[in-house]
Amino acid sequence: MSTTLPSTATGGHHAISAAALMATYMQAVNISIPNAALPHIQATLSMANDEVGWVFSSYIAASAVTMSITQWLAGRYGRKAVYQAALAVFTLGLVLDTLATTSIQFVLARILQGAASGPLAPLSLAILLEATPAVRQARMGLALTVCSLLGISTGPALGGWLSEYYGWPSIFYVTCP
């Protein structure tokens, strides 16, 4: 169900590549962005110390489950539809994170967000490889890896700064666009 992009399109593949790389960065940064904001989140939502681990475990477990079925979903519903749905549900999860008033609501929002993040990385790679000429595919794989690592490594610093000056909900608003 996927259509190949014409190799003569000079500007189109740059925009597609930038969007796919940005989605990968957004997904990766949301793995670690709550790290530094955790004391603020824990205080606001009255989370016990044993509940804090669920903030990360729920996201990663849900992501692992949906990542494993991404190929089947893309084959059944189409890569574009699954990718757009994952982005929409991911954004919904971000908004629900900020609206949570209890620890259970927050963890459920993180599960939804994690489930939506699972297909983003593999589908971003598939989109990048399809939109890029064969001679540049290795560079695109490297760019995707760099975006993932940058997202995971910059998340705590970004989350700490935002939660300190703008409140912990801002860590989720920053990745909504």
Side-chain angles (χ1 to χ4, degrees), residues 137-161:
Q137 287 182 353
R139 284 187 187 166
M140 277 299 139
L142 177 64
L144 186 84
T145 303
V146 167
C147 279
S148 293
L149 292 176
L150 268 174
I152 291 170
S153 63
T154 60
L158 183 62
W161 182 78

Side-chain angles (χ1 to χ4, degrees), residues 114-146:
S117 78
L120 290 179
L123 291 178
S124 290
L125 179 60
I127 290 167
L128 283 172
L129 292 177
E130 187 176 304
T132 306
V135 295
R136 297 197 174 193
Q137 287 182 353
R139 284 187 187 166
M140 277 299 139
L142 177 64
L144 186 84
T145 303
V146 167

Side-chain angles (χ1 to χ4, degrees), residues 10-100:
T10 56
H13 77 280
H14 292 296
I16 291 170
S17 298
L21 291 173
M22 194 64 187
T24 301
Y25 176 79
M26 178 182 68
Q27 178 262 343
V29 81
N30 274 284
I31 293 171
S32 62
I33 201 167
N35 285 357
L38 207 51
H40 300 287
I41 296 169
Q42 186 176 10
T44 303
L45 299 178
S46 300
M47 294 178 99
N49 287 336
D50 62 338
E51 294 174 325
V52 173
W54 284 99
V55 172
F56 305 106
S57 301
S58 60
Y59 182 94
I60 291 172
S63 179
V65 168
T66 57
M67 187 182 292
S68 64
I69 62 169
T70 298
Q71 183 179 3
W72 178 81
L73 288 171
R76 178 146 176 108
Y77 300 107
R79 186 184 311 155
K80 182 179 177 181
V82 173
Y83 194 71
Q84 288 175 338
L87 284 173
V89 173
F90 187 83
T91 304
L92 175 66
L94 289 169
V95 172
L96 291 176
D97 281 335
T98 63
L99 297 175

